[in-house]
C-alpha cells in the first residue's frame, strides 16, 4: 500500500463525507521528502485535525512509520478544506 492510499484510508475512516476526501502526492525540492495534501469537507476539518492537532499528528506519525519501513522518506502532510 502506498503512502497516499494509506493516508486516504485513515482519513476516510475519520470523516462523515468520504466522497469529499482527496489525497494527492506532490513533488518537493527537498531530496527524500514527500508532500501529501489532504483535502476534506469543511464540516469534517475538526475530525481530521482533532483537539490540539492530536489526530493530525497521529496521522503524520502512522504515515511516517510506514514510510520508514518501505522507502525511508520524510513525509510532510498538509490538511486543507474545500
Amino acid at each position: 500500500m502506498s503512502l497516499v492510499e494509506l493516508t486516504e484510508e485513515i482519513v476516510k475512516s475519520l470523516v462523515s463525507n468520504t466522497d469529499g476526501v482527496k489525497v494527492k502526492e506532490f513533488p518537493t525540492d527537498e531530496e527524500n521528502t514527500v508532500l501529501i495534501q489532504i483535502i476534506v469537507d469543511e464540516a469534517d476539518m475538526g475530525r481530521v485535525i482533532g483537539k490540539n492537532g492530536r489526530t493530525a499528528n497521529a496521522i503524520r506519525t502512522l504515515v511516517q512509520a510506514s514510510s520508514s519501513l518501505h522507502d525511508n522518506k520524510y513525509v510532510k502532510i498538509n490538511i486543507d478544506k474545500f
Side-chain angles (χ1 to χ4, degrees):
M1 180 179 280
S2 73
L3 296 177
V4 173
E5 292 170 344
L6 174 65
T7 306
E8 188 171 4
E9 285 296 317
I10 293 169
V11 173
K12 281 187 175 183
S13 69
L14 296 172
V15 300
S16 59
N17 181 11
T18 57
D19 295 334
V21 174
K22 295 184 183 11
V23 180
K24 294 184 180 179
E25 181 178 338
F26 293 98
T28 61
D29 295 336
E30 301 169 28
E31 192 174 324
N32 290 329
T33 302
V34 176
L35 174 64
I36 297 177
Q37 179 74 33
I38 302 172
I39 300 174
V40 296
D41 189 35
E42 187 173 355
D44 290 325
M45 279 295 285
R47 289 187 176 110
V48 176
I49 294 175
K51 191 172 189 173
N52 295 325
R54 289 182 182 163
T55 305
N57 286 336
I59 294 169
R60 287 183 182 102
T61 301
L62 287 171
V63 175
Q64 183 65 50
S66 176
S67 173
S68 68
L69 291 174
H70 296 94
D71 358 353
N72 204 20
K73 292 185 177 183
Y74 180 73
V75 179
K76 292 183 179 181
I77 296 181
N78 291 336
I79 303 170
D80 204 2
K81 60 185 174 187
F82 64 90

